Amino acid sequence: MIEKLISFSLRNRVLVLLVSAVLFGWGLYSVQTNKIDAIPDLSENQVIVFTEWMGRSPQLVEDQVTYPLVTNLQGLPEVKYVRGTSMFGMSFIYIIFEDETDVYWARSRVLERLNSIGNMLPEGATPTLGPDGTGVGHVLWYTLDAPGMDLGEQRAIQDWYVKFALQNVDGVSEVASFGGFQKQYQVTVDPNKLTYYNLTVPQVIQAVRANNNEAGGRKFERSDIGYIIKTTGYLKSAEEIENIAVTTNNTLPVRIKDVATVQMTGESRLGIFDLNGEGEAVGGIVVMRYGENAEEVISHVKEKMAEVSKGLPEGVKFNIVYDRSGLINESIDSVKATLIEEMIVASVVVFLFLFHWRSALVIIIQLPLSIAIGFILLNAFDISSNIMSLTGIALSVGVIVDDAIVMVENSYRHLADASKRNSE
């Protein structure tokens, strides 16, 4: 078969050259469109279900949240196994699917099941899906460099401005905020005053909730003019909360400030984020969406950061802590340089041993063509250009060179023998 293939190629050299040119052009296109990352994504095909039920012990979260979710999510199609983890105020469920399962099909199946079991969970515990990313999706970490600004203000800028802007970048699954204080109004109730006014904590909570609301009225006409009525009832300051009436005692209103103190403070924290031992910092983690091109995502995020920086307060700027693009570029450039060096060395060695430039030209043409076809296969199997895949290509260059040297040397020897016989 090989002899027939060689004979066919020799008789149809134009066709062989045309096919080679097409494959080389296709390979160049594949090189430009192939996804680039530093390391291969070998993580499992999983969907994460996160449930927050703050203030409860891990055992209570395990019994009332984690266990019901795990038992009901085990019957999903194409599920390998379900893992559950409980901690203080939080529950994590990891549903591992078969490797061939489409990740978004899996997420839709999990979401359907969550809609049917939501009533089994205690009040206030609402399960949500985690980001559609993987364990190696953390492509960029940043902090806000804001000298003179307190941690609460920095976290507010991160949560209400920076985060929403960066989440709009193509390929970004989530921007997870960390550090600082999440601002909130805290009402600290005095139990002695509650007893004096014969009130309970649920009454105080209901009073605050009822007064932090807006409602719409109806439209009415007056003097041929239409008016739309609405109420503005959102609380905007601690003073407004203090003046909320909880009940009436002998025609006198009992306000929040009569039974409690109201102050602006931060939400309770289970940890802090320290940057290089220089103090606390506020920032975010950019999580790449499943199957995206890491290099493109990082590039687009940096472009968006430059745009977002124009709207930041004076003196506030981004400080990139971790950027995978540096590792990606260094890895790819190193492997590319190795491939070029191998091609040059192989061609020079063949030329020195055979002293025949046409034979060396065969090696020079064969190596880039083989590598181009390799990138076509990488795209066909959705494999990114990373350290592992490119190293495999670099190692295969030796096999390609060996094969080419044997074939070229054999052809050269036969041609030399035939030429010698003809001369005799």
Side-chain angles (χ1 to χ4, degrees), residues 299-368:
S299 176
H300 293 162
V301 169
K302 289 181 178 179
E303 293 175 1
K304 192 67 176 180
M305 281 183 170
E307 180 181 340
V308 171
S309 298
K310 300 177 182 178
L312 293 175
E314 186 177 356
V316 179
K317 59 183 180 180
F318 288 104
N319 176 31
I320 296 179
V321 179
Y322 167 72
D323 181 6
R324 193 187 294 176
S325 62
L327 177 60
I328 292 173
N329 294 330
E330 290 179 5
S331 303
I332 301 302
D333 292 342
S334 176
V335 177
K336 284 182 178 179
T338 302
L339 289 173
I340 295 173
E341 290 172 1
E342 287 182 342
M343 293 167 56
I344 295 174
V345 170
S347 303
V348 170
V349 168
V350 171
F351 179 77
L352 291 177
F353 273 85
L354 298 180
F355 282 101
H356 194 259
W357 68 271
R358 292 183 180 178
S359 300
L361 185 62
V362 171
I363 308 298
I364 297 173
I365 295 175
Q366 185 178 8
L367 283 177

Side-chain angles (χ1 to χ4, degrees), residues 181-244:
F181 293 92
Q182 292 179 273
K183 285 186 175 182
Q184 61 179 205
Y185 292 109
Q186 287 188 359
V187 179
T188 306
V189 180
D190 188 336
N192 296 323
K193 292 182 179 180
L194 285 181
T195 303
Y196 177 80
Y197 288 107
N198 195 24
L199 294 175
T200 62
V201 174
Q203 286 179 283
V204 177
I205 295 175
Q206 180 60 30
V208 175
R209 287 178 175 173
N211 285 271
N212 185 33
N213 193 13
E214 287 197 2
R218 58 173 294 175
K219 175 186 175 182
F220 75 97
E221 294 185 2
R222 183 178 181 182
S223 301
D224 296 329
I225 300 176
Y227 296 89
I228 298 177
I229 302 175
K230 74 166 187 175
T231 60
T232 302
Y234 284 140
L235 298 172
K236 299 180 180 179
S237 64
E239 290 75 15
E240 293 182 358
I241 299 177
E242 290 177 343
N243 292 322
I244 293 175

Side-chain angles (χ1 to χ4, degrees), residues 66-317:
T66 304
Y67 180 77
L69 287 176
V70 169
T71 54
N72 284 274
L73 290 172
Q74 284 180 337
L76 292 174
E78 301 188 24
V79 170
K80 294 170 62 176
Y81 38 82
V82 180
R83 303 168 181 163
T85 302
S86 303
M87 58 184 66
F88 179 76
M90 291 177 286
S91 169
F92 292 90
I93 311 296
Y94 304 91
I95 304 100
I96 312 301
F97 287 83
E98 299 289 345
D99 294 337
E100 296 77 15
T101 305
D102 180 72
V103 63
Y104 294 104
W105 180 89
R107 291 174 65 87
S108 64
R109 297 287 81 77
V110 173
L111 190 59
E112 288 178 359
R113 184 61 62 88
L114 290 179
N115 291 333
S116 64
I117 65 177
N119 296 330
M120 301 176 58
L121 301 179
E123 184 180 358
T126 304
T128 58
L129 292 184
D132 52 342
T134 64
V136 296
H138 295 189
V139 294
L140 189 141
W141 289 38
Y142 66 89
T143 61
L144 296 179
D145 187 3
M149 183 178 293
D150 65 77
L151 296 174
E153 292 292 337
Q154 293 184 41
R155 183 60 183 261
I157 294 173
Q158 163 62 24
D159 287 341
W160 301 105
Y161 176 61
V162 177
K163 178 179 179 178
F164 294 149
L166 297 183
Q167 280 183 338
N168 290 328
V169 177
D170 291 338
V172 173
S173 173
E174 182 188 30
V175 177
S177 301
F178 58 79
F181 293 92
Q182 292 179 273
K183 285 186 175 182
Q184 61 179 205
Y185 292 109
Q186 287 188 359
V187 179
T188 306
V189 180
D190 188 336
N192 296 323
K193 292 182 179 180
L194 285 181
T195 303
Y196 177 80
Y197 288 107
N198 195 24
L199 294 175
T200 62
V201 174
Q203 286 179 283
V204 177
I205 295 175
Q206 180 60 30
V208 175
R209 287 178 175 173
N211 285 271
N212 185 33
N213 193 13
E214 287 197 2
R218 58 173 294 175
K219 175 186 175 182
F220 75 97
E221 294 185 2
R222 183 178 181 182
S223 301
D224 296 329
I225 300 176
Y227 296 89
I228 298 177
I229 302 175
K230 74 166 187 175
T231 60
T232 302
Y234 284 140
L235 298 172
K236 299 180 180 179
S237 64
E239 290 75 15
E240 293 182 358
I241 299 177
E242 290 177 343
N243 292 322
I244 293 175
V246 181
T247 186
T248 303
N249 189 2
N250 295 328
T251 69
L252 296 177
V254 179
R255 297 181 175 87
I256 294 291
K257 64 182 178 181
D258 297 326
V259 297
T261 58
V262 182
Q263 60 182 346
M264 170 77 76
T265 183
E267 186 178 358
S268 300
R269 302 188 299 173
L270 299 178
I272 64 173
F273 180 83
D274 180 85
L275 180 62
N276 297 329
E278 299 176 356
E280 293 189 49
V282 177
I285 303 172
V286 179
V287 182
M288 180 181 67
R289 186 171 288 116
Y290 177 84
E292 293 290 337
N293 189 331
E295 186 185 42
E296 289 186 359
V297 172
I298 296 173
S299 176
H300 293 162
V301 169
K302 289 181 178 179
E303 293 175 1
K304 192 67 176 180
M305 281 183 170
E307 180 181 340
V308 171
S309 298
K310 300 177 182 178
L312 293 175
E314 186 177 356
V316 179
K317 59 183 180 180

